[in-house]
């Protein structure tokens, strides 16, 4: 098994490498296979990725588990196992050895230790893998120990505002008044996460004696507009309400406060590439219909060191990953025998189509079967 020893040596040497770019990402053979997979369900291209990974291409190795999930399962158990292994070793284990981002992400696996879960998320933020970091941080937030301090750099962490708001609410409702300084910092900077927290505390939480915990906070005259904004953002991002199409005030809030953030990179990249002449209205139509990118998009998106995110979300595969499941779930299309017909008949889709015909065409493509290999 000399070839496997050579592969493992290559992977070990790559362990220290930055994820931007990963070794092998500029290999023409990798590029050709990737292009096929971004445009069609091509088992031959997936097999090529497997062969490239076996030959020591790190970008192919870390992309292979994600790409395998794009295609329908291989027909037999033996075929499926063959795609998941190299020389008797699991591809996912080899990928963790090959690249630090893959080791941190671990296909979204939950760490048995909450501190490790948090550390993985924080490191992925440092590497720019925001969507994957958010997915890990969301799990940590649900298992966060009562005595756990706020992570270092938390006020300016590139995490989704709703996640930061939920962590802060947990701390404040457990009596951690030191966290009020972070809330004050957000309010001073007019950040939406601060207004979400303030809305939750105002509406639902008081301390012993009935005195509001927020009595010591300094808020300006803009509280009259921004506190309702906090309620709107919390209702959409926390409670996933109201149903689409979103009210104009909520859409405007998301476009102003959230669209510039890393969490909306996929939307901006998609609209810039697919609907270049109407990118702003494409983004507005996306928000009106879907609100925000879903967290499960992270698990179907390759590591950015292997595949440029802008390239991915400009592709048919990126379009499907960004919108297919979200449209089915958000619009309740899963019970329909004819999903495309149900989509085009939905009033929220029709409203989005009136906003931007290019976006509507993309949404319709996203819910149709992905093209088979030519």
């Amino acid at each position: 098994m000399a070839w496997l020893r050579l592969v493992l040596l290559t992977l070990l040497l790559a362990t220290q490498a930055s994820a931007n770019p990963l070794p092998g990402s500029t290999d023409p053979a990798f590029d050709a296979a990737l292009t096929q997979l971004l445009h069609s369900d091509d088992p031959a291209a997936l097999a090529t990725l497997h062969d490239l990974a076996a030959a020591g291409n790190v970008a192919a190795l870390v992309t292979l588990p994600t790409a395998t999930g794009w295609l329908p399962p291989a027909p037999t158990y033996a075929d499926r196992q063959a795609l998941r292994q190299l020389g008797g070793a699991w591809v996912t284990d080899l990928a963790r050895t090959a690249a630090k981002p893959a080791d941190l992400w671990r296909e979204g696996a939950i760490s048995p230790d909450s501190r490790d879960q948090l550390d993985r998320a924080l490191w992925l933020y440092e590497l720019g893998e925001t969507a994957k970091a958010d997915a890990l941080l969301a799990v940590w937030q649900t298992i966060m120990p009562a005595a756990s301090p706020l992570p270092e750099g938390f006020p300016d962490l590139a995490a989704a505002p709703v996640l930061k708001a939920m962590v802060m609410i947990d701390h404040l409702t457990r009596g951690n008044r030191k966290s009020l300084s972070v809330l004050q910092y957000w309010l001073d900077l007019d950040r939406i996460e601060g207004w979400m927290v303030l809305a939750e505390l105002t509406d639902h939480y008081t301390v012993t004696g009935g005195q509001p915990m927020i009595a010591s906070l300094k808020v300006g005259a803009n509280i009259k507009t921004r506190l309702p904004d906090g309620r709107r953002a919390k209702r959409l991002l926390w409670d996933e309400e109201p149903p689409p199409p979103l009210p104009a005030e909520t859409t405007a809030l998301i476009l102003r406060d959230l669209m510039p953030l890393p969490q909306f990179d996929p939307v901006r990249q998609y609209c810039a590439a697919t609907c270049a002449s109407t990118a702003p209205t494409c983004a507005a139509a996306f928000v009106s219909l879907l609100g925000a990118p879903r967290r499960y998009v992270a698990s179907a998106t390759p590591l950015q060191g292997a595949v440029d995110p802008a390239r991915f979300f400009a592709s048919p595969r990126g379009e499907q990953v960004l919108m297919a499941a979200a449209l089915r779930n958000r619009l309740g299309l899963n019970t329909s025998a004819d999903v495309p017909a149900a989509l085009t008949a939905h009033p929220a889709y029709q409203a989005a189509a009136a906003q931007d015909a290019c976006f509507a065409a993309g949404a319709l493509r996203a819910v149709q079967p992905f093209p088979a290999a030519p």
Side-chain angles (χ1 to χ4, degrees):
M1 305 292 284
W3 70 269
L4 180 58
R5 288 195 294 272
L6 179 61
V7 169
L8 291 174
L9 177 59
T10 302
L11 300 184
L12 287 169
L13 291 174
T15 302
Q16 302 302 320
S18 167
N20 291 309
L22 289 173
S25 59
T26 59
D27 182 344
F30 172 73
D31 183 77
L34 177 66
T35 297
Q36 280 293 101
L37 290 167
L38 293 182
H39 289 82
S40 66
D41 282 343
D42 189 346
L46 192 63
T48 297
L49 276 192
H50 190 273
D51 291 343
L52 290 169
N57 185 306
V58 176
L61 178 65
V62 302
T63 303
L64 184 58
T66 304
T68 300
W70 294 338
L71 274 64
T76 69
Y77 176 78
D79 290 337
R80 293 192 292 273
Q81 291 298 92
L83 276 173
R84 294 169 182 158
Q85 296 184 11
L86 281 174
W90 294 108
V91 167
T92 49
D93 291 340
L94 294 172
R96 287 185 58 183
T97 305
K100 189 63 181 180
D103 183 42
L104 296 168
W105 172 232
R106 302 173 200 170
E107 304 304 310
I110 299 173
S111 296
D113 175 71
S114 66
R115 181 67 220 189
D116 182 62
Q117 182 81 14
L118 175 60
D119 287 343
R120 288 165 57 203
L122 295 178
W123 205 335
L124 283 171
Y125 285 121
E126 289 291 326
L127 295 175
E129 293 283 359
T130 306
K132 290 176 170 54
D134 278 349
L136 297 186
L137 190 70
V139 173
W140 175 78
Q141 185 270 328
T142 64
I143 61 175
M144 181 175 62
S148 177
L150 289 176
E152 184 177 353
F154 177 75
D156 295 312
L157 192 65
V162 67
L163 284 177
K164 294 164 76 175
M166 293 170 78
V167 170
M168 183 59 63
I169 289 294
D170 282 348
H171 271 261
L172 293 175
T173 55
R174 291 171 180 174
N176 183 0
R177 289 178 171 272
K178 293 181 180 179
S179 298
L180 282 172
S181 62
V182 176
L183 176 54
Q184 183 68 66
Y185 174 71
W186 289 343
L187 295 174
D188 290 344
L189 294 178
D190 195 30
R191 290 188 182 172
I192 193 61
E193 52 263 50
W195 295 110
M196 281 192 279
V197 173
L198 188 62
E200 175 70 8
L201 294 178
T202 299
D203 297 342
H204 300 297
Y205 187 74
T206 57
V207 296
T208 303
Q211 297 298 318
M213 180 177 278
I214 58 176
S216 63
L217 294 171
K218 298 177 182 179
V219 294
N222 65 343
I223 190 174
K224 295 180 180 179
T225 57
R226 294 298 272 162
L227 190 60
D229 279 347
R231 292 190 178 101
R232 291 187 187 98
K234 178 179 171 293
R235 187 181 179 198
L236 173 65
L237 301 171
W238 200 322
D239 303 325
E240 297 193 4
E241 293 287 345
L246 294 183
E249 297 88 349
T250 303
T251 297
L253 163 69
I254 300 303
L255 291 173
R256 182 183 65 246
D257 285 76
L258 297 178
M259 186 57 68
L261 300 182
Q263 283 72 24
F264 279 78
D265 282 352
V267 179
R268 290 185 279 104
Q269 291 162 348
Y270 172 76
C271 287
T274 307
C275 303
S277 63
T278 61
T281 53
C282 169
F286 179 97
V287 170
S288 175
L289 190 61
L290 295 173
R294 294 303 191 266
R295 196 166 294 146
Y296 45 67
V297 170
S299 63
T301 303
L303 288 167
Q304 63 183 15
V307 182
D308 181 1
R311 177 188 180 185
F312 179 73
F313 288 107
S315 73
R317 183 71 66 184
E319 180 178 73
Q320 186 192 55
V321 166
L322 180 63
M323 291 196 288
L327 286 164
R328 290 170 178 267
N329 295 335
R330 180 82 169 139
L331 303 185
L333 306 179
N334 287 319
T335 58
S336 173
D338 188 343
V339 172
L343 174 65
T344 56
H346 199 289
Y349 173 82
Q350 295 171 358
Q355 281 183 285
D356 191 87
C358 176
F359 168 79
L364 182 57
R365 287 192 300 269
V367 299
Q368 298 186 52
F370 204 71

